[in-house]
Amino acid sequence: MKKINISIFTGGSGNIELARNLCELNSRTKNISINFLINGYDDGKSTGFLRQLVPGMLGPSDFRKNCSNLILSKNQNEETLKKILDYRIKDFATYNRLLLKIKKQDRTSFQFIDYLPWNKYFEFIEYIKTFDQHLKTCQFQKKNFKDISLGNILFTSFYLSNNKKFNHTIKKFSDFFEIEHNVLNITNGENFFLSGLAESGNFLKDEVSIIENKNKEKISDIFLLKKKLNHRSIKHLESLKDSSKKKKFLNNLNFTPKLNPELNKIIKKSDIIIYGPGTQNSSLYPSYLTKNIKNILMKSKAKKIFISNIFKDKDIVNETTNSIIEKFFYYMNNKKNKKLIKEKLIDYYFVHKTDKSDINNIRKSFY
């Protein structure tokens, strides 16, 4: 039986129900292969801390979350692997108890690790040792070591153990956790940082600022920078009174990431391509800014489906479904005014049921 190849542009948890249902379906039919296409620009509190500890590394969180979403927990082994991925290291004292555990000096903590198969158990120990060896070379405040997922610590160790090759790390990490489907970085693994600009002209300095959007502003544009702006550059940016000048300043610093070479073949083989819901300005739009992704998608013969958000995340609180779709094309066209054949990028729009009182409705005349 020919497998149905599905590729999904996603963040960490916006497509969790879709992922789980497709995995459940495949567990019965054995004829579905799923590719989760993700960017690594997440830079949240604990993820940002890890990225500071290991300069040059993209954010691991969304890759870890998708691996966790793909484990169905139907047996003891799967439950253990999922527990390891999701377990949160509360603080540095908890981390020290983990170290005592792997030294066999504490048998009461982290007992779920004991359920790993013996070969994976010893691998796990070696990866924690690798992370700890690196940690000893870093300068950091112990109070900042908090609420870090054990899965992200392991991913960081995998990265250090695989010559800091991010995309290769994802493969090794997925193999360790016995992930059946493909979790892929959309880019070649080069490190970038996400920032944004609100319509008011306010600068959103990082991915966290975009997600939290504390002032509930409409986000005008996003940018991928080689490094975060320093205090002096932010001051200069804020001194520019005109929003168009601020945008020009940031666009001059903006980079277009190169595509993961594997994606050309994967998209070509796809029968269905889904642009999933999620935190649009951090999880999805940045992925569409990747070099040449538009051309490969337009050549694909797959059925392409755009799924609208049902609920508004904080980054799109002032958007409508219409404007979200318009921005999809804006970023897919790499912010340029070139003519775009929209029908080659989207075949079907999946939006929530019409509700006249909901300003997030799509006009029936739209496309």
Side-chain angles (χ1 to χ4, degrees):
M1 182 185 296
K2 181 184 180 296
K3 282 205 170 190
I4 301 170
N5 288 294
I6 303 174
S7 293
I8 305 174
F9 287 86
T10 185
S13 54
N15 294 278
I16 185 170
E17 292 303 323
L18 178 61
R20 286 176 178 172
N21 280 287
L22 285 172
C23 288
E24 286 282 1
L25 180 61
N26 181 63
S27 69
R28 297 192 299 271
T29 63
K30 305 297 182 184
N31 72 332
I32 299 174
S33 177
I34 316 168
N35 306 297
F36 293 88
L37 312 182
I38 307 161
N39 69 62
Y41 307 126
D42 53 300
D43 196 33
K45 294 173 182 176
S46 62
T47 308
F49 176 70
L50 289 174
R51 291 183 75 180
Q52 289 174 12
L53 290 180
V54 188
M57 183 178 75
L58 286 164
S61 282
D62 286 352
F63 302 95
R64 174 191 62 80
K65 289 175 185 175
N66 276 277
C67 286
S68 177
N69 295 343
L70 295 174
I71 297 176
L72 298 177
S73 300
K74 290 188 173 182
N75 56 50
Q76 179 70 66
N77 184 51
E78 289 181 343
E79 286 180 5
T80 301
L81 293 173
K82 190 175 182 68
K83 178 79 172 178
I84 290 170
L85 280 168
D86 296 338
Y87 188 86
R88 309 296 297 192
I89 304 290
K90 182 181 177 182
D91 49 29
F92 197 73
T94 309
Y95 173 71
N96 276 330
R97 286 200 295 274
L98 174 63
L99 296 181
L100 291 174
K101 171 69 175 180
I102 67 172
K103 294 174 183 176
K104 298 184 179 180
Q105 295 174 9
D106 182 349
R107 297 185 181 275
T108 59
S109 302
F110 296 91
Q111 291 182 354
F112 57 90
I113 296 167
D114 297 332
Y115 292 98
L116 282 170
W118 69 269
N119 56 330
K120 268 194 170 57
Y121 180 83
F122 288 114
E123 271 190 83
F124 175 89
I125 289 174
E126 290 305 311
Y127 281 119
I128 296 299
K129 285 180 178 178
T130 297
F131 176 82
D132 193 58
Q133 286 168 4
H134 177 79
L135 192 63
K136 285 181 168 65
T137 69
C138 301
Q139 291 185 342
F140 66 95
Q141 292 185 322
K142 290 180 181 179
K143 67 178 182 179
N144 293 330
F145 194 107
K146 59 183 179 180
D147 194 34
I148 304 177
S149 78
L150 181 52
N152 280 358
I153 287 175
L154 277 175
F155 189 101
T156 304
S157 183
F158 270 79
Y159 178 75
L160 294 168
S161 302
N162 285 277
N163 298 315
K164 298 185 178 181
K165 294 180 179 178
F166 193 83
N167 291 355
H168 186 64
T169 296
I170 297 169
K171 288 182 182 178
K172 293 291 186 180
F173 187 78
S174 297
D175 288 344
F176 181 87
F177 287 97
E178 301 175 16
I179 306 303
E180 183 176 352
H181 300 282
N182 296 318
V183 176
L184 300 128
N185 179 26
I186 196 164
T187 76
N188 66 350
E190 191 174 0
N191 190 44
F192 291 104
F193 294 95
L194 182 65
S195 62
L197 191 68
E199 281 195 345
S200 65
N202 284 338
F203 178 56
L204 304 170
K205 64 179 182 177
D206 51 27
E207 189 244 11
V208 180
S209 303
I210 290 171
I211 290 174
E212 292 181 348
N213 192 15
K214 290 181 179 179
N215 295 326
K216 296 183 179 179
E217 299 180 277
K218 193 169 185 177
I219 295 173
S220 170
D221 215 335
I222 56 172
F223 311 89
L224 294 171
L225 311 179
K226 275 277 190 182
K227 57 183 179 179
K228 294 184 179 182
L229 294 190
N230 58 29
H231 180 71
R232 182 178 178 181
S233 296
I234 292 175
K235 279 289 185 184
H236 171 70
L237 179 66
E238 290 173 344
S239 72
L240 302 173
K241 302 302 180 183
D242 193 318
S243 289
S244 63
K245 290 181 180 179
K246 291 182 179 182
K247 186 177 284 192
K248 183 178 180 181
F249 174 82
L250 291 166
N251 272 324
N252 286 335
L253 298 174
N254 185 68
F255 280 83
T256 301
K258 293 179 181 177
L259 187 71
N260 181 343
E262 290 187 56
L263 260 64
N264 197 344
K265 185 188 293 184
I266 284 169
I267 291 174
K268 190 174 182 179
K269 289 175 66 177
S270 295
D271 300 297
I272 299 170
I273 293 170
I274 297 172
Y275 310 110
T279 313
Q280 295 288 336
N281 284 284
S282 65
S283 298
L284 297 158
Y285 290 157
S287 293
Y288 307 146
L289 286 171
T290 309
K291 188 175 183 179
N292 209 35
I293 188 67
K294 174 193 73 175
N295 297 330
I296 293 171
L297 286 165
M298 290 180 75
K299 290 176 183 176
S300 168
K301 294 179 180 178
K303 293 298 180 184
K304 306 177 189 80
I305 302 167
F306 179 95
I307 302 179
S308 170
N309 285 43
I310 294 175
F311 299 105
K312 291 182 180 179
D313 288 308
K314 292 178 182 178
D315 73 308
I316 56 168
V317 68
N318 289 308
E319 301 282 1
T320 65
T321 303
N322 293 355
S323 66
I324 289 169
I325 293 172
E326 286 168 354
K327 284 187 173 180
F328 164 89
F329 290 122
Y330 170 69
Y331 291 117
M332 192 63 81
N333 212 14
N334 208 9
K335 305 186 184 185
K336 295 175 182 174
N337 292 321
K338 291 181 180 179
K339 186 176 179 181
L340 188 66
I341 305 173
K342 296 173 181 178
E343 293 79 7
K344 288 194 173 183
L345 283 170
I346 302 178
D347 294 298
Y348 303 101
Y349 296 86
F350 285 14
V351 298
H352 58 286
K353 187 177 179 181
T354 300
D355 178 355
K356 291 181 181 178
S357 65
D358 183 358
I359 62 168
N360 199 35
N361 283 324
I362 187 169
R363 295 191 305 272
K364 290 182 180 179
S365 61
F366 195 78
Y367 299 117

